């Protein structure tokens, strides 16, 4: 409709990387796994930015992701490609009305914040406001490229962690699922592609456990920590990096919520 635009494509790519950080650093590493700490204002910013990608409420997202880890690649897993195939795991499940409700029992640690409950109920408010901002600043050109195209990219790139990272890649750890490390997905998703690492030790703020495993989300978190905006970024203990088994007591000693410890165990 608008025709090709190099400036539009550049805008879409730049906004895409920002949105991907809110998916990986917000929805996933903060709200789902509580792998680092921030202030209440910082928490709200992460929630707003994550929901601006239109992947539903942060409580909904975190609850379903914790369920995924509890039953990873088992019949109860909502988006396992091993159980239900590529298209279902990629986007079929998130469009299915049967899974629209939030499992509040899985996110009691988050549900105690009224602002998060409000955002979860009104999850379309952030994307509508961000889309309106793009339109007011740059017109239809910015709305289409900066909001819609970037959002479509962020959806499909982030969804590959469900649909592809349990199928293609290598397995450093003998986890009880089919999670895999995939360098291409790690680069596209700012570090989420080190998925076998993540399933071995879920409460770490980093998913690239070794220096050569590029994890841009973690680098951004480290930069934010340098300014005091986030803190207590968890790292996997040395025995995990070496590939040794993680005893449950070590997981519990890492801190966090009871839900986290149960999921990680």
């Amino acid at each position: 409709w608008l025709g090709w635009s190099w400036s539009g494509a550049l805008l879409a790519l730049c906004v895409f990387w920002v949105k991907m950080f809110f998916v990986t650093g917000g929805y996933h590493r903060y709200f789902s796994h509580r792998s680092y700490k921030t202030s209440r204002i910082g928490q709200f910013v992460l929630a707003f930015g994550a929901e601006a990608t239109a992947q539903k409420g942060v409580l909904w997202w975190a609850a379903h992701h914790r369920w995924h880890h509890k039953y990873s690649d088992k019949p109860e897993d909502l988006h396992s490609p091993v159980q239900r195939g590529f298209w279902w795991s990629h986007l079929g499940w998130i469009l299915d009305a049967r899974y629209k409700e939030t499992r509040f029992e899985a996110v009691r640690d988050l549900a105690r914040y009224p602002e998060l409950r409000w955002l979860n109920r009104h999850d379309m408010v952030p994307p509508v406001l961000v889309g309106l901002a793009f339109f007011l600043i740059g017109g239809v050109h910015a709305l289409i490229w900066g909001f819609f195209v970037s959002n479509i990219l962020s959806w499909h790139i982030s969804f590959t962690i469900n649909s592809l990272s349990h199928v293609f890649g290598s397995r450093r750890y003998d986890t009880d699922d089919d999670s895999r490390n995939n360098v291409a997905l790690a680069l596209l998703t700012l570090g989420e592609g080190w998925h076998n690492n993540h399933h071995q030790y879920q409460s770490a703020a980093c998913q690239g456990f070794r220096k050569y495993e590029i994890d841009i989300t973690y680098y951004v978190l480290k930069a934010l920590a340098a300014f005091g905006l986030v803190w207590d970024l968890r790292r996997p203990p040395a025995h995990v990096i070496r590939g040794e088994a993680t005893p449950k007591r070590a997981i519990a000693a890492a801190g966090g919520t009871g839900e986290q410890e149960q999921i990680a165990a």
Side-chain angles (χ1 to χ4, degrees):
W1 180 44
L2 292 176
W4 176 255
S5 167
W6 285 106
S7 63
L10 180 62
L11 175 62
L13 284 173
C14 290
V15 177
F16 159 75
W17 294 119
V18 175
K19 289 183 176 181
M20 277 303 303
F21 171 76
F22 279 107
V23 172
T24 62
Y27 273 136
H28 190 205
R29 303 192 197 191
Y30 182 77
F31 290 106
S32 297
H33 294 288
R34 308 302 296 273
S35 65
Y36 62 94
K37 296 178 182 177
T38 188
S39 66
R40 194 160 175 177
I41 294 175
Q43 178 178 263
F44 182 84
V45 171
L46 285 171
F48 188 95
E51 291 191 10
T53 68
Q55 289 191 29
K56 301 191 179 183
V58 289
L59 304 186
W60 180 93
W61 207 104
H64 281 80
H65 189 75
R66 292 176 181 184
W67 182 270
H68 158 69
H69 274 281
K70 187 175 182 180
Y71 297 107
S72 184
D73 287 330
K74 305 296 189 298
E76 298 90 342
D77 190 348
L78 297 180
H79 50 65
S80 170
V82 177
Q83 295 290 333
R84 307 194 195 185
F86 172 81
W87 284 113
W88 175 264
S89 63
H90 190 71
L91 54 79
W93 78 279
I94 202 171
L95 301 175
D96 196 312
R98 289 176 296 175
Y99 307 119
K100 67 180 181 179
E101 299 301 324
T102 301
R103 299 173 179 269
F104 285 101
E105 70 278 5
V107 287
R108 293 188 184 96
D109 55 313
L110 301 172
R112 62 193 181 96
Y113 296 103
E115 65 271 23
L116 295 185
R117 294 198 305 271
W118 189 90
L119 279 174
N120 194 70
R121 285 195 306 272
H122 305 285
D123 59 282
M124 287 306 296
V125 170
V128 167
L129 290 178
V130 171
L132 180 62
F134 272 104
F135 177 73
L136 293 176
I137 293 170
V140 175
H141 175 85
L143 175 65
I144 296 296
W145 287 100
F147 181 75
F148 286 110
V149 174
S150 68
N151 241 33
I152 291 170
L153 287 173
S154 70
W155 286 344
H156 287 291
I157 296 299
S158 59
F159 293 167
T160 61
I161 300 303
N162 294 340
S163 58
L164 298 181
S165 67
H166 284 247
V167 179
F168 300 107
S170 61
R171 287 175 54 80
R172 173 181 296 145
Y173 300 105
D174 186 22
T175 57
D176 61 357
D177 53 37
D178 287 302
S179 59
R180 298 166 187 271
N181 289 337
N182 186 306
V183 64
L185 294 182
L187 294 174
L188 286 172
T189 62
L190 307 185
E192 299 292 292
W194 306 116
H195 204 56
N196 181 240
N197 292 356
H198 172 57
H199 273 256
Q200 175 68 7
Y201 197 82
Q202 299 154 29
S203 64
C206 61
Q207 295 188 11
F209 287 179
R210 304 188 180 185
K211 290 183 179 179
Y212 58 83
E213 294 175 337
I214 298 172
D215 186 348
I216 296 174
T217 296
Y218 184 64
Y219 307 154
V220 174
L221 290 174
K222 289 279 284 184
L224 294 174
F227 288 97
L229 298 175
V230 303
W231 54 89
D232 290 352
L233 275 64
R234 293 180 182 160
R235 290 276 307 173
H239 73 270
V240 170
I241 297 175
R242 290 195 300 267
E244 299 171 4
T246 305
K248 292 183 179 181
R249 64 180 179 275
I251 295 170
T257 64
E259 289 86 357
Q260 281 180 277
E261 293 162 13
Q262 179 185 7
I263 293 161

